[in-house]
Amino acid sequence: MKENKNISRSRAQESSAAIEKMYITMRHLFNRGFYKPMGISGDTLREALLALRPEIYGNIAEEKVELNGLLYVIERLPVGIEECRFINLTSDEGYSKSHFQAIIPPKRKRNCYRIDEEQMNVEITRGRSDIYDILTHLTFIFIESHKIRSRVLLDDAGEVSRDWMKLQLAVSQNKKLTLIEKEKAISHAANILGRTFEDVLDIYDAFGSDAAPDRFLHVIFWLGKLAIEESLDNHKRTITFSPILRERLGHHIHGEIWATNIKEVLKANQLLDRPIHVISANMHSVMNSIFATTVLKTKFKEKSDFFIYEELSRSGAHEVRNKVEEVALKHGMISIPDKSGTNIDVQIFDTAKINWANSSFPSAKLGDKKPVLIVMDYAFGEQAYETIDELLKPFKKDILLNVESVSIMGKAGILEGGKGDIMIPNAHINEGTADNYFFHNELTAKMFEGNDIAVFAGPMVTVLGTSLQNRDLLKFFHESTWGVIGLEMEGSYYQKAIQSASKIRKSVPHDLKVRYAYYASDNPLETGSTLASGGLGTTGVKPTYLITIKILEQIFNVK
């Protein structure tokens, strides 16, 4: 037993060292300005990722191609990136004013521009975490592309396998494949990937869209094609960082524009001198929690509140969502779509304009100075520090904001429990450095009991990226005296900004209250339960709204 523990611990230490090596390497490559991922300059990054073997990338260290991990990554990168030999990471440099059409990945808000057949520009406006995210994803798909190359390239002269030629033929047909053509192509692709016909068939449609139903074959072909060209012709894929991005990164340029815009709107609506509560959540749960049940009670007679929230969360429910938003906009809600490049939309709620008797909180006690809610969409990693740090600064250097609380609701990985469970942290620990932020959380586990949802309380670890997690390291954090209950990407950055503003810089009240609660999107310690296994579906609706309601009850003094 003792011997096993030592082996497990050493693997955790190896993983920790691999993450640290990746972090340092990525910063070095960024400062250098360019690198070739599959060349000598990319060696350290590839070796560290293969040593780490993150859960989300499944079989990265094996010969067969990892399909779930590939789908996860492709959904977070722009369509067509697999065809590009040059990937240029830029700041917001004015491409939105050009003829180039923005390509936005389905699962990650970022503007990307296809410059020509060989080049894709990816705009980085959310800080270093965005760079780490993209570089790890690109390293993964390039490693997978070389697995494809190894299986189809028969000799140094460039002879390729019959399966590859058949796949090329299927991809060259610019039309939707018939069922027979599709299954023939899948058979050849399965041989190339080292997977079964069934493995490929099961995931095939998830890659596709109405416009490109056979995109799976296209992605596999182009990844392999560029890897073959790297080997035969030495046409190495290259990642560059624009000089403007290198100059601007870390200077809070987008965060400052974002925060100033919010304060200007507060000023224009004479809300600057009112008590302010900042909530980081999605763009529907606060609005729906206040207005939805009364707006939709006739449509959903005798249905529970959570049933209504589930209906609102369904993909085609535009009509009912618009109905709620219409009422909210008439009763104190101001919508501020993002134009700063942070990709963080904002809603402001003036509680003085809400008809409380006709809301979900009829017993709200708001006092003489009615509070204002600033609801901001989710930040991404280190961007959480930039946005909250700028938001809590005085307006025009001398008007202090009366921020009474900051509440963070987020999605996180859980280390004990499953999807949809709730985590209430009392501290955030930075992975790698072990910097830690202990705080008094106004939310407690007891508040969430009795709702048929498991609740866990304890420290949480703030990680560099969800794509860098492996089981050994997480097991160590969970089972050692750290006693970590979950992992997320923003907590310590939020708390760092809150502490500096309230305790040191004194730009907001010293006794500012904080609330943190997360619902579980996955359990990376369980095989088949990682983020790559798919979304939450309606499982996330109940915990999302339960957390939102508990936050609002405290702000509105509902006992």
Side-chain angles (χ1 to χ4, degrees), residues 5 99 404 523:
K5 191 177 177 188
H99 76 281
E404 292 195 348
N523 184 334

Side-chain angles (χ1 to χ4, degrees), residues 1 10 40 90 175 295 364 369 558:
M1 184 67 195
S10 69
I40 294 165
T90 72
K175 63 178 183 68
V295 171
K369 277 202 152 189
V558 176

Side-chain angles (χ1 to χ4, degrees), residues 249-534:
L249 196 75
H251 294 299
H252 291 199
I253 286 167
H254 300 288
E256 187 180 359
I257 296 165
W258 175 83
T260 303
N261 188 29
I262 294 167
K263 291 166 196 172
E264 294 281 9
V265 172
L266 290 173
K267 185 188 175 190
N269 290 274
Q270 299 176 317
L271 302 173
L272 267 178
D273 62 338
R274 302 257 289 275
I276 291 169
H277 298 269
V278 179
I279 303 172
S280 174
N282 50 51
M283 287 289 97
H284 53 76
S285 57
V286 172
M287 175 179 74
N288 289 344
S289 296
I290 296 172
F291 298 104
T293 49
T294 48
V295 171
L296 302 173
K297 64 186 172 189
T298 50
K299 186 175 176 67
F300 300 108
K301 281 177 187 166
E302 295 171 28
K303 297 290 186 185
S304 72
D305 290 358
F306 287 110
F307 176 87
I308 293 172
Y309 300 143
E310 278 193 21
E311 288 301 306
L312 283 160
S313 302
R314 295 193 191 282
S315 55
H318 305 297
E319 192 188 324
V320 279
R321 282 204 290 268
N322 292 344
K323 211 172 180 181
V324 177
E325 189 175 1
E326 207 177 295
V327 170
L329 289 166
K330 285 177 185 167
H331 293 87
M333 185 178 95
I334 302 163
S335 183
I336 312 177
D338 179 62
K339 289 182 181 146
S340 67
T342 59
N343 282 309
I344 298 176
D345 295 336
V346 171
Q347 294 163 339
I348 292 173
F349 292 84
D350 178 358
T351 61
K353 292 183 178 174
I354 295 172
N355 179 356
W356 290 103
N358 202 22
S359 76
S360 300
F361 301 91
S363 58
K365 298 177 190 70
L366 302 176
D368 297 334
K369 277 202 152 189
K370 303 288 187 284
V372 171
L373 310 184
I374 298 175
V375 180
M376 57 181 280
D377 209 344
Y378 299 121
F380 187 73
E382 283 188 36
Q383 187 191 33
Y385 176 75
E386 175 177 338
T387 49
I388 292 291
D389 185 56
E390 292 297 332
L391 187 59
L392 300 185
K393 281 180 182 174
F395 179 51
K396 300 206 168 159
K397 296 189 178 174
D398 58 352
I399 301 169
L400 301 180
L401 302 185
N402 181 18
V403 179
E404 292 195 348
S405 74
V406 178
S407 305
I408 312 296
M409 175 181 71
K411 199 161 58 168
I414 196 166
L415 300 179
E416 184 183 338
K419 287 186 179 186
D421 291 350
I422 288 174
M423 290 160 278
I424 308 294
N426 58 12
H428 288 295
I429 303 151
N430 248 354
E431 177 188 56
T433 61
D435 292 349
N436 47 79
Y437 301 85
F438 189 82
F439 49 84
H440 172 72
N441 194 342
E442 296 294 319
L443 299 173
T444 65
K446 200 172 179 185
M447 292 174 186
F448 294 90
E449 288 170 2
N451 289 288
D452 296 325
I453 294 177
V455 189
F456 300 87
M460 290 184 72
V461 65
T462 298
V463 299
L464 281 175
T466 49
S467 54
L468 292 180
Q469 295 321 299
N470 85 335
R471 190 170 293 143
D472 299 308
L473 188 56
L474 295 175
K475 211 169 175 187
F476 165 70
F477 267 124
H478 179 52
E479 293 176 2
S480 70
T481 49
W482 282 112
V484 163
I485 58 167
L487 59 144
E488 50 74 58
M489 281 184 65
E490 292 82 28
S492 67
Y493 300 117
Y494 278 126
Q495 192 57 28
K496 182 163 75 166
I498 291 164
Q499 277 181 204
S500 64
S502 60
K503 306 288 192 280
I504 302 168
R505 303 169 86 172
K506 312 247 182 336
S507 57
V508 293
H510 185 267
D511 56 353
L512 178 150
K513 293 175 177 175
V514 294
R515 302 179 190 91
Y516 289 93
Y518 299 89
Y519 58 94
S521 56
D522 64 301
N523 184 334
L525 292 183
E526 285 180 13
T527 304
S529 294
T530 66
L531 279 172
S533 68

Side-chain angles (χ1 to χ4, degrees), residues 119-170:
Q119 183 179 331
M120 180 75 76
N121 280 13
V122 181
E123 266 184 17
I124 303 292
T125 56
R126 298 191 293 181
R128 286 193 184 91
S129 295
D130 222 5
I131 294 175
Y132 305 149
D133 187 59
I134 287 170
L135 293 190
T136 48
H137 287 343
L138 290 174
T139 304
F140 165 72
I141 65 168
F142 293 163
I143 288 170
E144 297 303 298
S145 75
H146 275 248
K147 289 184 193 175
I148 296 168
R149 180 218 65 185
S150 300
R151 298 184 74 92
V152 301
L153 200 56
L154 302 179
D155 58 29
D156 292 342
E159 189 182 345
V160 290
S161 69
R162 178 175 178 272
D163 287 314
W164 182 252
M165 292 191 291
K166 293 291 184 183
L167 176 65
Q168 187 171 9
L169 192 66

